[in-house]
Amino acid sequence: MTDSETGVEIRTDQGTAYGLTPGSHDPDLTEVGAGSPMGELMRRYWHPISLSEDATDLPAAVRILGEDLILFRSTDGQPGLVHPRCVHRGSSLLYGRVDDHGIRCCYHGWAFDTEGNCTDQPCEPQNGANRDKFRQPWYPVEERYGLIWAYLGPPEKKPLLPRYSTFEDLGDDEHIFTDDKNIGSGRYFSGIVPFNWLQHFENILDTAHFYWLHFFHSGPQFGSRYGEFDVLDFQPWEKLGGLEWNITTTGVAVDRSAEIPDGRVLHTTTETVLPGVRGVSNPFGDPGPTDSLGFVVPVDDTNFKIFTVLRGKDRSFFERIESMRRPGADPHADPSQAQRFPGDWEAQGSQGAITLHSEEHLASSDRGVRMLRRLLRDQMTVVADGGNPLNVAFEAGNEVVQIKAGQYFQK
Ligand code: FES
Ligand SMILES: [Fe+2]
């Protein structure tokens, strides 16, 4: 460009941050409130909300899919999940007292069973002659794998609580173990991860970051049992070129084959299974099908939790995960360590509470991310059109979801 008066060329800097627009996230993909497209898709599945052992006679506040609820266990052993606000005059059942069959509000003693039926109104004549007319809003819960699972969707669409092939046919010396410390988030703690669930879930298919972040930039942060991640002669694209992503019958999977130093070819399948199941090969032990699954659960639009279920002889897997704590993973330690050795927490959390999709530039290594987003959009449409999404079953015998994640040596 030239100055029109002087004819002198004007040089301007290009691409500066001046005038940068704030950007926006895609609400359909990320927001999980009732009535939103993703919220309705998520409400067609059972989600783990708590360790079984944390459902006790002391009511607990739980938040899932943007809804605040109260979890308790009646003294006869039944877990219950109810809306907090008592239908009488609104006191919170967080202060309720649990009894044989349910929970009793602290204010005037109305009692509700685990399905919200009002069973007693002690301050009313005849203990509430019309008490049958009142029902505390509730949700169905079931227990499996040491977890409490809840279904928050339309009652007539409630599927069977799924089983996963990973945990079928246990040997005599095998057991199921459960952990709520957000394994895979980059920090090992029983709290809530403070950013959008999809940033973590789509990361499972982002194999490029595995090579770059975990082995080259900050690594090694994970084991390289067979020497499959040789970071010294690091050629990311050469390795990434052998990746193959596919939409499967249950979600999206990525397959990779790597020649290890002894000449054998190690094949690895990693997968996302709807709604939030993470299948990653076991970082320890022998090759084979994975023996653990992570369950990514949206707490709300900007928070999530990960529960992990494991089959094995003992809990040593969890202990080994904890012992792999990388530098920078302790939020109370020197914060510069997190800058020098960032991990999943820093990479995914720094994308924002909800990443700005309008500002992204997806590239070829994001193929799995694109596929997962496309699949989620397709499934939202299926639900909006009255259909049933992937991985729901209504007939006993069909509720086992087949998991493909694992590692093996090619013959
Ligand atoms: S407000 Fe709950 S019994 Fe009155
Ligand atoms: Fe990672």
Side-chain angles (χ1 to χ4, degrees):
M1 190 162 82
T2 52
D3 186 304
S4 57
E5 285 181 15
T6 63
V8 174
E9 190 177 346
I10 302 170
R11 294 189 58 185
T12 53
D13 293 333
Q14 300 295 313
T16 72
Y18 178 74
L20 200 62
T21 54
S24 57
H25 67 268
D26 183 330
D28 286 358
L29 267 181
T30 52
E31 296 183 9
V32 293
S36 66
M38 183 62 81
E40 290 306 304
L41 173 59
M42 285 286 172
R43 279 170 176 75
R44 300 294 296 279
Y45 296 98
W46 290 87
H47 296 274
I49 58 167
S50 166
L51 297 179
S52 274
E53 67 200 49
D54 290 342
T56 70
D57 65 351
L58 187 66
V62 296
R63 187 165 165 80
I64 174 170
L65 302 181
E67 298 190 35
D68 287 308
L69 300 164
I70 303 296
L71 174 68
F72 64 92
R73 188 186 295 278
S74 63
T75 47
D76 65 4
Q78 290 303 310
L81 184 66
V82 289
H83 189 65
R85 194 183 157 81
C86 174
V87 282
H88 179 214
R89 277 176 40 217
S91 294
S92 174
L93 293 176
L94 184 64
Y95 302 100
R97 180 169 297 162
V98 162
D99 63 17
D100 271 5
H101 305 297
I103 190 165
R104 196 180 277 278
C105 179
C106 68
Y107 206 1
H108 313 96
W110 288 24
F112 307 101
D113 68 15
T114 53
E115 295 193 346
N117 299 297
C118 186
T119 55
D120 190 19
Q121 295 174 336
C123 302
E124 299 298 312
Q126 302 157 48
N127 289 73
N130 294 320
R131 64 176 185 255
D132 291 352
K133 294 206 176 104
F134 302 93
R135 194 143 184 187
Q136 182 65 21
W138 66 290
Y139 283 123
V141 287
E142 289 191 37
E143 290 186 87
R144 179 163 290 163
Y145 305 141
L147 293 167
I148 308 270
W149 301 72
Y151 175 76
L152 276 65
E156 71 282 7
K157 300 281 193 184
K158 185 177 78 174
L160 295 170
L161 178 64
R163 310 181 72 88
Y164 292 90
S165 59
T166 305
F167 309 121
E168 295 290 290
D169 305 319
L170 294 182
D172 288 345
D173 57 348
E174 284 186 301
H175 305 278
I176 296 293
F177 300 96
T178 310
D179 172 282
D180 69 345
K181 296 202 176 70
N182 301 309
I183 289 175
S185 71
R187 289 188 186 168
Y188 191 66
F189 74 116
S190 294
I192 283 172
V193 186
F195 51 88
N196 183 260
W197 63 279
L198 187 60
Q199 275 149 245
H200 178 77
F201 197 46
E202 64 189 15
N203 164 269
I204 296 153
L205 299 164
D206 179 351
T207 311
H209 97 283
F210 201 71
Y211 288 89
W212 190 267
L213 173 68
H214 297 309
F215 285 90
F216 191 68
H217 187 105
S218 302
Q221 292 185 325
F222 296 108
S224 180
R225 267 181 304 171
Y226 305 105
E228 69 270 39
F229 299 107
D230 183 352
V231 295
L232 296 175
D233 63 345
F234 193 74
Q235 293 291 337
W237 183 249
E238 207 170 273
K239 294 191 186 246
L240 292 169
L243 293 172
E244 204 181 301
W245 286 275
N246 286 297
I247 293 187
T248 68
T249 53
T250 54
V252 180
V254 54
D255 293 288
R256 75 182 141 89
S257 296
E259 190 176 323
I260 63 170
D262 68 9
R264 288 182 296 171
V265 174
L266 182 66
H267 184 89
T268 305
T269 301
T270 303
E271 64 180 334
T272 51
V273 170
L274 299 197
V277 186
R278 185 187 62 205
V280 177
S281 58
N282 189 346
F284 321 116
D286 296 325
T290 187
D291 46 16
S292 70
L293 294 176
F295 295 89
V296 179
V297 187
V299 168
D300 54 30
D301 298 344
T302 55
N303 295 283
F304 69 95
K305 256 201 91 57
I306 307 169
F307 295 94
T308 304
V309 178
L310 166 79
R311 75 181 286 168
K313 297 188 170 72
D314 53 46
R315 294 183 64 88
S316 59
F317 172 89
F318 298 132
E319 284 148 22
R320 290 177 78 172
I321 291 277
E322 177 150 33
S323 71
M324 280 167 61
R325 224 177 247 260
R326 62 190 167 82
D330 178 355
H332 306 297
D334 174 1
S336 72
Q337 291 295 295
Q339 285 182 272
R340 295 196 191 285
F341 304 103
D344 283 312
W345 182 280
E346 289 73 30
Q348 296 162 35
S350 66
Q351 290 176 302
I354 310 181
T355 195
L356 302 176
H357 300 94
S358 67
E359 307 307 298
E360 290 179 334
H361 300 87
L362 297 187
S364 56
S365 62
D366 300 309
R367 186 125 193 258
V369 171
R370 279 182 209 275
M371 278 186 184
L372 179 60
R373 292 180 184 179
R374 193 185 320 140
L375 178 66
L376 288 168
R377 286 187 208 283
D378 288 349
Q379 294 299 303
M380 287 188 255
T381 304
V382 167
V383 167
D385 290 348
N388 295 315
L390 286 183
N391 305 336
V392 297
F394 299 92
E395 278 177 41
N398 291 345
E399 76 275 32
V400 180
V401 178
Q402 296 299 324
I403 297 296
K404 294 166 276 300
Q407 248 181 352
Y408 59 88
F409 285 110
Q410 250 161 19
K411 301 255 167 23

